[in-house]
Amino acid sequence: MNDNCTTADCIISGGGPAGIVAGLLLARGGVKVVVLEKHYDFFRDFRGDTIHPSTLRLLDELGLYNEFARIAHRRVTNISLTGDDGQDYILGDLSRLHTAHPFMTIAPQWDFLNLLAKAGEDEPGFDLRMGVEMTSLIWDDDRVVGVRAQTAGGEIELRAPLVVAADGRWSRARDEARLSMRELRSTIDLWWFRVDTQAQLTDSIAPRARGGEEGGNVFVAIPREGHVQMARLIPKGEDALFREQGIESLRKAVAATFPALTDDVEALEMDDVKLLDVRRNEARRWFIDGLLCIGDSAHAMSPLGGVGVNLAVQDGVATARLLAEALRSGYVPTRALRRVQRRRMLTTKAVELLQGGIHRMIEPVVHNGGVLRPPAPIRWLLTTFPALTVVPARILGMGVTAEHAPDFARRQTDQV
Ligand SMILES: Cc1cc2nc3c(=O)[nH]c(=O)nc-3n(C[C@H](O)[C@H](O)[C@H](O)COP(=O)(O)OP(=O)(O)OC[C@H]3O[C@@H](n4cnc5c(N)ncnc54)[C@H](O)[C@@H]3O)c2cc1C
């Protein structure tokens, strides 16, 4: 071992929601954990910021809810579709959930991550290293035993009985371990941009379509403080084609769909519009000896339903709960990693199924225009038995299996 080598009980590559949550909880469980984040801060606009009831409950259990409530911008109670007839179809009514916080909140992801990272500073075992990029895995035969990483001062090695790959949907660790992916269908991409405005849109995150001449315009608007984060759904691979139509065409489409934004949209420029290549996939196996993938690294979700952050958080909780004891002992059997995947499988599959249904409803409108609304049998079910909207709300908002903070990670509720 050279001088640049650190040892720990666990190394986490990636300081997104999955990595920071797993790191914080493990550290509270007495595990010496190093989290590597390649960026120097958490500030990136191009990220999810819908915090669902499952994560709000976790924050309660961790004693961080009150502090979080101060940074949260808006409460949203419905996941719905708004058709070009202006009618809202509620697909998931979060207010029907039996939980202390039956709504989702919109909070910038960087604030959320900063809050968790700050809580980690109280834990002697929590070692978050910003600006450090994992470059490759270290192997001992077929077992992963650590990582190499690039820092401002040069290359370092870190060794541990377990490496957790929480490095997002383009996971380097997963690719190096050659874990194969199952690709799920998506024929759409997203344009992601913000419109500065004081206008108050609805308290629902609803894909919204505008038919007629402007047919095929489907948007999702996420209200934040002082601006609206917008996604325009476009046919997959047609970014260049849409850009050729120019910014005026986008401005008109936004104004036609959200009349309240007509004046504000004039400030929008094409350079502000970022492309999100929508991927839906899942690793067939989330682990090999010495390595476990969680969050987007194990399963990239569609942004529709705003669930990615929350699944990543739940994966982090399950990882800490199921592996802390083994990590403290210094040996993590591969069957323990399998248990994490099994535990998280049901919720992952249920979300994939639900999002598949939402994609099937929306994609034809994105491609061909027409009316955005659920198929007739689902409309009938939702309007005749509105209580059924609790089912999608439960799957998206809480998950199928409830991931609670283990006792060792719980703290008294913080004071405001
Ligand atoms: C435009 C956009 C909008 C979205 N909207 C929503 C939404 O509204 N709601 C929602 O819930 N989800 C949304 N998502 C998805 C959500 O952001 C992700 O599902 C979630 O962030 C996944 O968390 P994660 O921790 O698994 O991965 P990530 O958040 O991707 O975090 C991975 C981290 O690893 C770091 N990293 C990567 N490689 C390395 C390396 N080699 N070494 C060190 N660090 C590394 C990255 O810098 C990053 O910080 C959106 C995603 C995008 C791109």
Side-chain angles (χ1 to χ4, degrees), residues 100-157:
H101 310 291
F103 47 81
M104 68 168 109
T105 64
I106 312 295
Q109 200 185 105
W110 51 91
D111 285 339
F112 174 64
L113 292 176
N114 274 324
L115 173 74
L116 295 167
K118 197 164 136 268
E121 287 170 8
D122 295 337
E123 309 302 324
F126 184 76
D127 180 1
L128 170 62
R129 301 196 190 177
M130 302 299 287
V132 179
E133 179 167 4
M134 188 282 270
T135 48
S136 64
L137 299 171
I138 301 173
W139 298 82
D140 181 4
D141 290 332
D142 289 340
R143 189 177 181 91
V144 175
V145 293
V147 301
R148 288 182 198 86
Q150 193 61 42
T151 71
E155 187 174 83
I156 55 167
E157 285 186 14

Side-chain angles (χ1 to χ4, degrees), residues 19-298:
I20 294 286
V21 166
L24 172 64
L25 269 62
L26 283 171
R28 284 189 173 182
V31 174
K32 198 177 152 213
V33 56
V34 180
V35 184
L36 307 178
E37 169 52 50
K38 68 180 177 183
H39 291 102
Y40 283 92
D41 57 40
F42 296 121
F43 189 81
R44 278 176 294 292
D45 210 27
F46 203 47
R47 285 194 154 193
D49 52 7
T50 47
I51 303 296
H52 283 224
S54 59
T55 305
L56 298 176
R57 184 181 58 192
L58 175 76
L59 289 164
D60 253 343
E61 293 169 350
L62 298 179
L64 299 172
Y65 181 79
N66 287 338
E67 204 173 330
F68 173 77
R70 283 204 294 267
I71 58 172
H73 286 183
R74 293 281 297 265
R75 287 184 181 191
V76 172
T77 47
N78 288 326
I79 298 164
S80 52
L81 283 182
T82 306
D84 68 342
D85 50 4
Q87 186 165 345
D88 272 334
Y89 298 97
I90 296 177
L91 304 176
D93 183 352
L94 297 165
S95 68
R96 291 178 182 272
L97 293 171
H98 294 289
T99 178
H101 310 291
F103 47 81
M104 68 168 109
T105 64
I106 312 295
Q109 200 185 105
W110 51 91
D111 285 339
F112 174 64
L113 292 176
N114 274 324
L115 173 74
L116 295 167
K118 197 164 136 268
E121 287 170 8
D122 295 337
E123 309 302 324
F126 184 76
D127 180 1
L128 170 62
R129 301 196 190 177
M130 302 299 287
V132 179
E133 179 167 4
M134 188 282 270
T135 48
S136 64
L137 299 171
I138 301 173
W139 298 82
D140 181 4
D141 290 332
D142 289 340
R143 189 177 181 91
V144 175
V145 293
V147 301
R148 288 182 198 86
Q150 193 61 42
T151 71
E155 187 174 83
I156 55 167
E157 285 186 14
L158 301 104
R159 288 176 182 254
L162 179 69
V163 173
V164 175
D167 49 350
R169 62 204 198 118
W170 306 113
S171 171
R172 178 174 293 172
R174 180 196 65 211
D175 288 352
E176 192 181 325
R178 294 175 188 270
L179 291 173
S180 73
M181 304 301 288
R182 198 166 60 87
E183 295 295 328
L184 303 174
R185 186 173 172 279
S186 168
T187 67
I188 54 167
D189 286 332
L190 287 192
W191 269 3
W192 190 247
F193 55 94
R194 59 183 269 178
V195 177
D196 293 323
T197 182
Q198 294 307 320
Q200 296 292 314
L201 299 185
T202 70
D203 279 338
S204 170
I205 293 189
R208 179 181 279 258
R210 171 93 182 130
E213 276 175 44
E214 305 288 341
N217 291 327
V218 183
F219 290 89
V220 182
I222 304 177
R224 283 185 183 171
E225 209 63 41
H227 72 272
V228 179
Q229 186 65 50
M230 304 212 75
R232 179 185 195 175
L233 283 55
I234 60 171
K236 196 158 210 46
E238 293 193 6
D239 174 54
L241 211 68
F242 269 66
R243 279 180 199 268
E244 269 172 27
Q245 293 172 11
I247 190 65
E248 203 42 48
S249 158
L250 176 62
R251 289 181 188 144
K252 268 169 69 183
V254 175
T257 315
F258 299 94
L261 301 180
T262 303
D263 293 338
D264 303 313
V265 86
E266 286 306 312
L268 188 62
E269 296 298 340
M270 205 44 114
D271 285 349
D272 306 328
V273 178
K274 306 279 183 283
L275 172 71
L276 170 64
D277 171 9
V278 173
R279 289 288 169 100
R280 302 175 59 224
N281 62 26
E282 183 197 314
R284 290 188 172 83
R285 215 155 60 108
W286 296 14
F287 59 89
I288 54 167
D289 292 351
L291 177 81
L292 172 69
C293 297
I294 60 172
D296 275 17
S297 155

Side-chain angles (χ1 to χ4, degrees), residues 379-401:
R379 279 203 314 275
W380 179 81
L381 265 180
L382 293 176
T383 43
T384 315
F385 306 105
L388 283 179
T389 56
V390 77
V391 177
R394 164 79 207 197
I395 293 171
L396 293 174
M398 304 290 286
V400 179
T401 46

